[in-house]
Amino acid sequence: MSIKKNERIQINLDLSPEIYETITNLSQQINRDNAEVLLKALSLLEVTVEAKQRGKHIWIADENQNLETEITDIEDLSKIIATKGNKPLVLSIGNSRSQEDVELERKVRELKFKQELRKDWIIFIVRDVVFFSAAILFIFAVSGYSLFMQIYR
């Protein structure tokens, strides 16, 4: 079956009343239709999967950038959705690290970035400056020697 890029496909979903109510409430909150809510949910899942594949994490932080929740696995999203029944949405912070650990990890990442930047500069200087200069000097030396031999004859 070949699907064209702009072609739309209609599917039927069997949803629990709680999930349907959640979708409807979200669609009202963001002034979009139910399909848009599902598309945004799929986008969030896609970002989470890509982050996981790249060894990155999704964090939920408050307005002061204090860590509330770390989504380390796609299953975390599933657990959040699964708790949407009659229970309120509760984000587990049992696996999250303390604020000091998060700050320390940020500083370590910053140091690693600086170290990589220094390494890149050293490679640039050695490869592009030293080798290029040596190559130019070699070319001038060979050209000068050839010119000297031509004049000397």
Side-chain angles (χ1 to χ4, degrees):
M1 178 173 157
S2 173
I3 301 172
K4 297 177 183 167
K5 188 174 186 177
N6 294 329
E7 182 179 350
R8 294 187 58 95
I9 299 170
Q10 184 174 0
I11 61 172
N12 293 321
L13 297 174
D14 291 326
L15 303 172
S16 68
E18 292 89 0
I19 296 294
Y20 180 75
E21 184 180 341
T22 299
I23 293 171
T24 304
N25 289 340
L26 287 171
S27 68
Q28 291 171 355
Q29 289 176 15
I30 65 171
N31 286 336
R32 300 283 193 261
D33 61 3
N34 290 351
E36 184 91 18
V37 169
L38 292 173
L39 288 174
K40 290 187 181 298
L42 286 173
S43 297
L44 177 61
L45 180 60
E46 184 177 37
V47 166
T48 305
V49 168
E50 288 177 9
K52 175 76 173 164
Q53 289 172 345
R54 294 180 181 175
K56 299 182 184 233
H57 300 272
I58 304 291
W59 300 87
I60 297 176
D62 64 12
E63 62 276 352
N64 296 323
Q65 299 301 317
N66 295 320
L67 173 66
E68 289 184 3
T69 304
E70 175 187 10
I71 300 175
T72 59
D73 196 337
I74 299 164
E75 296 303 316
D76 290 345
L77 283 178
S78 299
K79 289 175 190 170
I80 292 170
I81 293 169
T83 60
K84 283 300 288 181
N86 294 326
K87 302 180 235 173
L89 177 62
V90 177
L91 299 177
S92 170
I93 59 172
N95 291 336
S96 64
R97 296 175 232 147
S98 69
Q99 190 66 29
E100 294 83 18
D101 289 344
V102 171
E103 184 64 23
L104 183 61
E105 184 177 327
R106 186 191 64 77
K107 287 180 181 179
V108 167
R109 281 194 314 265
E110 188 176 300
L111 285 172
K112 284 182 182 178
F113 173 75
K114 287 179 182 178
Q115 193 176 28
E116 285 292 318
L117 189 61
R118 286 185 188 115
K119 186 176 91 175
D120 290 345
W121 269 105
I122 290 170
I123 290 172
F124 166 75
I125 290 171
V126 169
R127 185 186 64 216
D128 294 343
V129 175
V130 174
F131 287 154
F132 182 74
S133 299
I136 295 294
L137 287 174
F138 179 76
I139 291 170
F140 281 150
V142 170
S143 299
Y145 179 76
S146 297
L147 182 62
F148 176 75
M149 293 307 287
Q150 291 294 328
I151 294 173
Y152 185 70
R153 287 189 197 170

